[in-house]
C-alpha cells in the first residue's frame, strides 16, 4: 500500500501568482495572506494585528489595507442593524472580486432582513450597494 503524506500543516494559505505580481508591496501581500488564513466569522481588527506583529506600523498596515481594497482583494461593507448599531463586514478573496461578486454581496444586505441596508465603503471608488443591485438596497 502506498500512502501520500505531506510535511505541511493541515491549514495553510495559498496565494495565486497573480496576487504576488499585482500587489505593489510586501506589506499588502502579507496582509492578504493574514486575512485569508482565518475562517469566516473571525473578529478582524487591523489595530490588534499591528499590535501583535513587530516590524509593521499602523500607517503601513492601513496603507496595505487600502492597497488590497484598491486592487479588489478586500471589500468592506458597513451596515446598520435594526437596533441602530453599525457593523463592518470584510469580504476577502485570493483573487480580486468581480462585478458578479459585488452583486452577490449586495443581495446579502437587502432591507427587511437582519440588515436594514448597507453602504459599500470600499470598492474601487466607494460605490453604494444601490448602484450594484436592485433599487431597494440603499444606505440608511
Amino acid at each position: 500500500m502506498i500512502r501520500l503524506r505531506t510535511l505541511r500543516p493541515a491549514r495553510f494559505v495559498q496565494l495565486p501568482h497573480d496576487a504576488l505580481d499585482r500587489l505593489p508591496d510586501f506589506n499588502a501581500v502579507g496582509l492578504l495572506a493574514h486575512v485569508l488564513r482565518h475562517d469566516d466569522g473571525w473578529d478582524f481588527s487591523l489595530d490588534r494585528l499591528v499590535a501583535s506583529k513587530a516590524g509593521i506600523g499602523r500607517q503601513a498596515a492601513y496603507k496595505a489595507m487600502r492597497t488590497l481594497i484598491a486592487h479588489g482583494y478586500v471589500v468592506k461593507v458597513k451596515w446598520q442593524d435594526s437596533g441602530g448599531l453599525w457593523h463592518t463586514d470584510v469580504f476577502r478573496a485570493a483573487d480580486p472580486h468581480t462585478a458578479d461578486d459585488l452583486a452577490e454581496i449586495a443581495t446579502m444586505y437587502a432591507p427587511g432582513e437582519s440588515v436594514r441596508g448597507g453602504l459599500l465603503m470600499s470598492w474601487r471608488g466607494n460605490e453604494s450597494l444601490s448602484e450594484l443591485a436592485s433599487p431597494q438596497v440603499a444606505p440608511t
Side-chain angles (χ1 to χ4, degrees):
M1 176 183 343
I2 299 173
R3 291 188 183 177
L4 296 177
R5 298 186 183 262
T6 183
L7 295 176
R8 289 186 205 155
R11 292 191 58 191
F12 63 94
V13 173
Q14 215 170 6
L15 292 176
H17 291 174
D18 285 346
L20 298 173
D21 294 339
R22 287 183 196 163
L23 293 171
D25 60 66
F26 285 115
N27 288 338
V29 171
L31 182 58
L32 178 61
H34 188 78
V35 298
L36 287 175
R37 74 180 288 249
H38 293 283
D39 294 327
D40 283 355
W42 174 60
D43 186 21
F44 176 71
S45 167
L46 198 52
D47 287 329
R48 194 171 50 241
L49 175 64
V50 168
S52 70
K53 299 289 181 191
I56 186 167
R58 189 174 190 272
Q59 285 184 328
Y62 277 86
K63 180 182 177 194
M65 179 58 78
R66 287 191 302 273
T67 299
L68 294 179
I69 291 167
H71 285 81
Y73 292 94
V74 170
V75 175
K76 288 184 176 182
V77 178
K78 185 174 181 182
W79 55 275
Q80 191 175 28
D81 66 22
S82 58
L85 295 175
W86 286 94
H87 307 272
T88 302
D89 290 340
V90 177
F91 292 85
R92 74 275 195 264
D95 294 307
H97 289 89
T98 64
D100 289 340
D101 295 336
L102 294 178
E104 183 178 341
I105 290 169
T107 64
M108 297 176 190
Y109 298 91
E113 300 194 11
S114 62
V115 177
R116 290 191 310 184
L119 173 63
L120 186 60
M121 297 299 292
S122 306
W123 170 257
R124 297 183 182 163
N126 295 330
E127 298 96 335
S128 69
L129 289 174
S130 59
E131 295 170 10
L132 299 170
S134 66
Q136 295 91 1
V137 179
T140 55

